[in-house]
Amino acid sequence: MLCALVMAGGKGERFWPLSTDEKPKQFLNLLGNDTMIQMTIGRLTPLIPIERVFVVTAKRYVDLVKGQLPDLPERNIIVEPIGRNTAPCIALSAFTIKKYYEDAAIVVLPSDHLIVDEDKFRQTVKSGYEFVEDNSDSIVTLGMKPDRPETGYGYIKYIKNIQQYTNEAAFTGYFNTYKVERFVEKPDEKQAKDYLEKGNFLWNCGMFIWNCDTILKLTEKYLNNTYKILNGIFNTETSDFNKVLEESYQHVDNISVDYGIMEKADNIYVIPADFGWDDIGTWYAVERYREKDINNNVCVGDTKNLNGSNNIVFSKDKPIVVVGLNDVFVVESDDIIFVGKKKDIDRIKEIKKNVTK
């Protein structure tokens, strides 16, 4: 039985000042009327019913999850007492989901990505699930076919000439699944161009499909300390569960699932996907997808651009008028109004530290 796990605990610091510790980017309307997490759940539910969709988040965001996802059962909100990166977060969630669905498979997804062709996305997930059903100890990851030498993403290298599995989808053709050779860190520009030319490198978009039992076995094998702590937590009396979770979870390993498990496991496969994906990692990504005026300005809210071009302007409550400026970035939040050059967008985290320290 396929369940979904949506990870929604990140801080989204690169979208400061709109994204804050109290309300990070997954809970913001960056691309349209729905928030990023609402878009994520909305594209899942035609394939996986809401009662089998789980969201893992931080304690401080539980009310935001409830408010933005009113149809999500409360039991399906998994709360991390403290952030310890993705490996323990996923293992905690696998233990939880297994309580309700003993033989569950899980598709693990970030809460803040854009997907353009949602039908094809669901068909790709379904194909990965069918592969896992037929190969119970395997892990399937979705890798995006690159269309540019991107240096901001990690890559997946697969064995080009060994096709492991083909699944025919009703209207999108065939999905080929290949053995993963290795995961690759973010490259420099020369390496990225080389990956693009070789043709067997895919963007790592952080989406995985596996059986609950598989990820728990791998956690026990490679992150035994984390497994022992979580296993102990889930073997406590129900009445003491939250107290023990709060006290014990801080001692799990602080490590990503990529480093802790994926780079060590053997039975990993990838489906090359092309459903139109972006991780919406910076304001530049928002600029790519928001509607622009005739002067290439992105204007959201009560804004006016006069004699200016290539600007990004986000208004929350107050009118913002930009006159005679090009390539600027203006964002109003609850606390401040930020004005700067677009070329400094990549320095947002650094700027935030200097302003908020």
Side-chain angles (χ1 to χ4, degrees):
M1 181 175 293
L2 183 61
C3 298
L5 175 65
V6 176
M7 296 186 291
K11 294 180 179 179
E13 290 182 292
R14 288 178 293 177
F15 280 92
W16 183 81
L18 205 59
S19 176
T20 63
D21 290 349
E22 291 72 34
K23 193 175 183 180
K25 72 168 179 173
Q26 60 267 31
F27 302 109
L28 300 177
N29 308 71
L30 292 174
L31 297 177
N33 295 326
D34 289 339
T35 66
M36 300 301 293
I37 194 170
Q38 287 171 334
M39 292 170 66
T40 301
I41 301 300
R43 75 175 65 102
L44 281 170
T45 48
L47 177 65
I48 303 170
I50 193 68
E51 61 267 21
R52 298 207 309 265
V53 174
F54 292 78
V55 173
V56 58
T57 192
K59 186 186 300 184
R60 69 197 306 183
Y61 304 140
V62 169
D63 287 343
L64 284 169
V65 173
K66 289 180 179 178
Q68 295 194 6
L69 304 172
D71 295 331
L72 185 74
E74 190 167 346
R75 71 163 198 181
N76 290 23
I77 303 174
I78 302 168
V79 183
E80 269 195 298
I82 185 172
R84 280 292 182 264
N85 218 312
T86 54
C89 162
I90 288 169
L92 169 67
S93 301
F95 270 108
T96 303
I97 293 169
K98 192 172 170 62
K99 282 197 312 181
Y100 303 113
Y101 303 102
E102 176 68 27
D103 299 321
I106 313 171
V107 53
V108 180
L109 306 157
S111 60
D112 51 7
H113 288 182
L114 171 72
I115 288 171
V116 177
D117 190 338
E118 297 187 350
D119 284 335
K120 196 166 190 180
F121 161 76
R122 288 187 287 270
Q123 287 289 334
T124 309
V125 170
K126 185 179 178 184
S127 177
Y129 170 54
E130 290 172 354
F131 183 89
V132 168
E133 285 281 277
D134 292 340
N135 303 270
S136 60
D137 291 331
S138 65
I139 293 173
V140 170
T141 182
L142 307 186
M144 297 308 304
K145 298 175 183 177
D147 57 11
R148 62 184 185 274
E150 176 63 54
T151 60
Y153 304 150
Y155 284 71
I156 301 165
K157 182 182 181 183
Y158 64 91
I159 301 174
K160 189 188 297 188
N161 297 320
I162 304 177
Q163 181 179 307
Q164 299 293 330
Y165 181 83
T166 302
N167 180 46
E168 184 176 4
F171 62 90
T172 51
Y174 291 89
F175 293 94
N176 297 326
T177 307
Y178 298 91
K179 188 78 165 59
V180 170
E181 182 174 328
R182 64 188 174 97
F183 290 82
V184 182
E185 294 301 308
K186 296 175 183 178
D188 59 30
E189 188 173 355
K190 183 176 180 298
Q191 288 173 314
K193 288 179 179 177
D194 184 52
Y195 295 163
L196 197 62
E197 289 174 6
K198 286 183 175 175
N200 62 323
F201 287 82
L202 305 166
W203 291 335
N204 182 0
C205 56
M207 301 183 193
F208 309 105
I209 305 167
W210 46 46
N211 287 312
C212 263
D213 287 338
T214 299
I215 193 59
L216 291 176
K217 284 177 186 175
L218 291 172
T219 303
E220 183 177 18
K221 181 176 181 180
Y222 297 117
L223 298 172
N224 190 251
N225 170 65
T226 294
Y227 179 85
K228 284 181 178 178
I229 290 170
L230 291 173
N231 192 48
I233 292 169
F234 279 85
N235 282 321
T236 61
E237 294 292 332
T238 304
S239 59
D240 298 328
F241 179 84
N242 289 331
K243 179 184 176 184
V244 174
L245 176 63
E246 194 85 31
E247 292 173 350
S248 301
Y249 193 77
Q250 60 186 306
H251 301 297
V252 299
D253 301 284
N254 188 355
I255 192 169
S256 73
V257 71
D258 285 351
Y259 282 120
I261 293 175
M262 301 299 284
E263 292 186 358
K264 300 172 184 176
D266 296 320
N267 204 18
I268 306 179
Y269 300 84
V270 63
I271 298 176
D274 59 354
F275 41 68
W277 167 87
D278 201 309
D279 77 343
I280 312 300
T282 72
W283 285 104
Y284 285 126
V286 173
E287 184 183 38
R288 284 199 291 272
Y289 298 104
R290 276 281 188 175
E291 186 178 349
K292 300 173 183 66
D293 66 17
I294 58 172
N295 294 312
N296 208 41
N297 297 301
V298 173
C299 302
V300 179
D302 189 357
T303 67
K304 288 184 174 63
N305 262 283
L306 304 175
N307 301 319
S309 62
N310 300 313
N311 300 318
I312 302 174
V313 187
F314 264 67
S315 165
K316 186 177 185 298
D317 297 311
K318 299 179 178 65
I320 297 177
V321 179
V322 178
V323 181
L325 297 177
N326 301 320
D327 302 304
V328 298
F329 169 56
V330 183
V331 176
E332 178 206 2
S333 72
D334 288 331
D335 303 312
I336 70 169
I337 296 174
F338 178 94
V339 182
K341 284 285 190 180
K342 276 169 57 178
K343 65 181 178 62
D344 290 322
I345 281 176
D346 289 334
R347 296 178 52 239
I348 283 290
K349 289 175 72 172
E350 174 193 339
I351 294 167
K352 179 191 173 186
K353 286 179 183 177
N354 290 330
V355 171
T356 59
K357 64 183 178 181

